[in-house]
Amino acid sequence: MNSYNLTHLRALEAEAIYCLREVAAQFENPALLFSGGKDSIVMAYLAKKAFYPGRIPFPLVHVDTGHNFPETIAFRDKFVKDINANLIVGSVQQSIDEGKVVEEKGFNASRNALQTVTLLETIESNKFDAALGGGRRDEEKARAKERFFSHRDDFGQWDPKNQRPELWSLYNGRKHMGEHFRVFPISNWTEMDIWQYILMENIDIPSIYFAHEREVFVRDGVIYGNSDFINRRETETVEKRVVRFRTIGDMTCTGAVDSDASTLADIINEVAAARTTERGTRADDKRSEAAMEDRKKQGYF
């Protein structure tokens, strides 16, 4: 009798594909949130595998702050074209122009939190009843509280104390009219799993993840890419450093790390030796102790 053993990456892949197929089976109009970052790229790749040889049976949704890294937007457009997917873009700039949100002012102004309103409007206007996301439990303590199928009320809000049990991988997608679910098929993956899977499957990712020379400045320990979107103080000087990004978000809140990792193998070695958390470079998580949980309760990713 032949033995059948899965590596830990194949076991995680199988779990995620099962979850994706459950979403397709239980919901009428799901969508996959796609930022162009490594986690959402892996999500889209898994969705392609889950429904092969057919197309991914739901659209990709990007909430564009207008302050994204240009490399990420270029990669997004190429990736969507290559996999022949339907892309829906929610625009934070449009929400600002329509007076639905007010842009922050000052040196620490960011559009990151404004994404919540645009995201909820995009979900409501397209009548999505499930939004698949690339959130992982190891990223941040608020995300560690999420279930695979995470309920949102009629206002898109999340109540961490009111979640449904998930026993024996049984996912409960029942909801009332107007409510929706956020679904996280790669909840059990770690940052290391993501990089090892990208290497194993030879998945293309934006160049911004690899070490490159960039104009940066440092504020409160965060290395920001120099950008017209960020108000710099006179004391903050721009310099050229070789850096890379561990996460990709809005330019106004996403920091880089000093690195010489130019290959996937280098990145894996760097992550294995890292003494800081993946989101330790994110200024949006430093606003308060419960910054992520507060945003998620309001409907954030």
Side-chain angles (χ1 to χ4, degrees):
M1 181 176 176
N2 294 328
S3 62
Y4 178 70
N5 295 311
L6 294 178
T7 65
H8 82 284
L9 290 179
R10 290 302 180 201
L12 289 170
E13 178 189 63
E15 180 183 62
I17 287 176
Y18 167 71
C19 188
L20 283 157
R21 289 172 176 165
E22 278 293 299
V23 169
Q26 294 195 34
F27 296 94
E28 295 179 0
N29 190 26
L32 192 155
L33 302 177
F34 185 81
S35 66
K38 64 185 186 307
D39 300 315
S40 60
I41 291 169
V42 167
M43 281 280 295
Y45 182 85
L46 290 166
K48 191 178 171 188
K49 269 197 169 188
F51 304 105
Y52 182 84
R55 292 177 58 189
I56 299 175
F58 34 73
L60 308 188
V61 172
H62 182 214
V63 176
D64 187 349
T65 66
H67 290 173
N68 298 102
F69 290 94
E71 298 99 320
T72 309
I73 297 300
F75 181 89
R76 177 198 71 182
D77 294 340
K78 180 180 182 302
F79 183 86
V80 168
K81 183 179 179 182
D82 288 347
I83 66 171
N84 193 25
N86 178 25
L87 176 68
I88 295 173
V89 178
S91 169
V92 172
Q93 182 61 57
Q94 184 176 335
S95 298
I96 294 171
D97 294 342
E98 293 174 351
K100 294 171 180 171
V101 292
V102 178
E103 190 148 28
E104 294 181 348
K105 299 186 185 316
F107 289 106
N108 294 308
S110 172
R111 289 184 172 183
N112 187 57
L114 307 185
Q115 295 179 90
T116 300
V117 171
T118 307
L119 170 63
L120 293 177
E121 280 202 346
T122 304
I123 289 173
E124 185 174 357
S125 62
N126 289 278
K127 301 189 183 309
F128 294 130
D129 56 356
L132 290 147
R136 309 188 325 267
R137 290 193 173 112
D138 80 321
E139 284 183 89
E140 206 276 340
K141 54 184 179 293
R143 286 189 167 162
K145 295 181 181 179
E146 291 268 17
R147 298 285 165 84
F148 276 78
F149 278 31
S150 187
H151 175 264
R152 295 296 189 275
D153 67 17
D154 201 11
F155 300 99
Q157 297 172 323
W158 174 58
D159 181 359
K161 296 179 181 176
N162 183 26
Q163 299 187 86
R164 294 167 181 176
E166 290 182 338
L167 306 176
W168 305 290
S169 300
L170 296 176
Y171 303 136
N172 184 349
R174 285 191 171 185
K175 63 188 183 310
H176 295 292
M177 183 176 291
E179 298 175 345
H180 72 274
F181 275 78
R182 304 290 172 82
V183 184
F184 303 100
I186 60 172
S187 254
N188 286 337
W189 296 47
T190 65
E191 181 187 14
M192 178 63 82
D193 296 328
I194 290 290
W195 285 117
Q196 289 178 332
Y197 188 75
I198 289 172
L199 176 63
M200 182 176 75
E201 296 290 297
N202 193 28
I203 300 172
D204 195 20
I205 56 172
S207 59
I208 197 170
Y209 279 118
F210 298 101
H212 57 284
E213 188 177 76
R214 198 177 194 97
E215 286 191 346
V216 301
F217 69 95
V218 179
R219 174 185 297 169
D220 299 328
V222 177
I223 304 172
Y224 290 94
N226 187 34
S227 163
D228 293 338
F229 305 138
I230 306 176
N231 298 319
R232 273 190 298 107
R233 296 182 174 90
E234 291 183 359
T235 55
E236 294 170 333
T237 57
V238 174
E239 58 182 323
K240 286 189 175 180
R241 286 163 70 161
V242 177
V243 299
R244 74 174 195 90
F245 291 84
R246 289 178 72 181
T247 67
I248 291 181
D250 191 275
M251 288 188 74
T252 58
C253 64
T254 305
V257 293
D258 291 309
S259 172
D260 57 2
S262 58
T263 67
L264 288 172
D266 292 341
I267 291 174
I268 289 171
N269 289 333
E270 186 179 276
V271 169
R275 302 293 296 169
T276 57
T277 64
E278 180 182 359
R279 292 186 67 93
T281 59
R282 295 290 293 254
D284 46 336
D285 291 352
K286 297 177 185 293
R287 291 196 169 195
S288 74
E289 180 67 21
M292 172 66 87
E293 181 155 331
D294 291 341
R295 292 199 305 274
K296 287 181 74 64
K297 286 178 178 176
Q298 295 167 5
Y300 189 75
F301 302 93

